[in-house]
Amino acid sequence: RLVYHLQCGLHQRLIPRLIMAGLGAPKAMASMTVAAVLGLLGSYLTGWLDQKIGTKKASIAYGCWYVVTLITCAIPSNNVYLQYLSVFMIGIAIGGIGNLFPSMTATLFGRYDFVRAMGVLNPITNIVRSFAFIIMGAGLSMTGNYYLPMAWCGAQRHRHHLVACIDEKQIGK
């Protein structure tokens, strides 16, 4: 899932972005802990949504949530409330992607082919998300801040519309 690429980029730069926005290092690090705990809630909420409306619609809803999350992260601001809002939104997103990736795989490949499908998809996902480190590092060295790389990630977020094209007909057993 290409969303891992963006998620990894957001996590990688959360603490430096919060420090640049005026929060001290201890508060910025504590914010990452808060985001991780909020990920538990996000995991539960995404799982609940997945069960209620289906994986495809839940993935589209998650993509919309993520677009707003990227916007809050790309706005250069020293407003503490905006920074806390971005931490909240990132936290919920942390848990969401962890549920939707295996859920979509199970939906498409079925219960018996799930393990084989994940054996192929998981390494591909890890390779794609590793590019976030390169993009964020290159963006920082070119601009001196994290806002332009965040905006670039936001521009790439149009990919979540590809989920709408997925045919949920099971292709596995």
Side-chain angles (χ1 to χ4, degrees):
R1 300 269 313 224
L2 297 172
V3 177
Y4 270 120
H5 170 258
L6 300 176
Q7 185 76 4
C8 191
L10 281 181
H11 293 146
Q12 177 191 13
R13 297 299 171 211
L14 178 64
I15 292 173
R17 184 178 59 79
L18 291 173
I19 290 172
M20 284 177 56
L23 271 68
K27 277 189 179 178
M29 287 186 271
S31 295
M32 184 61 151
T33 302
V34 169
V37 171
L38 285 169
L40 296 171
L41 176 63
S43 178
Y44 178 80
L45 291 173
T46 307
W48 176 82
L49 192 63
D50 185 7
Q51 291 294 309
K52 292 293 179 191
I53 65 173
T55 305
K56 183 176 176 177
K57 290 179 184 174
S59 295
I60 292 169
Y62 177 83
C64 293
W65 175 271
Y66 214 80
V67 167
V68 176
T69 302
L70 285 168
I71 290 169
T72 63
C73 292
I75 297 171
S77 173
N78 289 340
N79 184 327
V80 173
Y81 298 110
L82 180 64
Q83 300 308 321
Y84 287 146
L85 175 65
S86 72
V87 168
F88 171 78
M89 296 187 80
I90 289 170
I92 297 297
I94 289 171
I97 193 60
N99 277 354
L100 292 174
F101 176 53
S103 183
M104 184 64 80
T105 305
T107 299
L108 296 177
F109 292 96
R111 167 177 166 190
Y112 297 105
D113 290 336
F114 174 79
V115 173
R116 280 188 280 175
M118 283 298 285
V120 173
L121 295 174
N122 204 33
I124 293 169
T125 299
N126 287 329
I127 291 168
V128 169
R129 79 174 173 189
S130 296
F131 282 104
F133 297 109
I134 296 168
I135 292 165
M136 295 304 257
L140 176 63
S141 66
M142 288 189 289
T143 65
N145 63 48
Y146 297 110
Y147 299 115
L148 187 60
M150 289 290 182
W152 183 88
C153 285
Q156 299 304 309
R157 192 61 196 114
H158 69 279
R159 297 174 188 164
H160 86 272
H161 295 295
L162 295 175
V163 173
C165 299
I166 293 174
D167 180 7
E168 289 184 290
K169 182 179 177 226
Q170 193 175 63
I171 57 177
K173 297 187 245 172

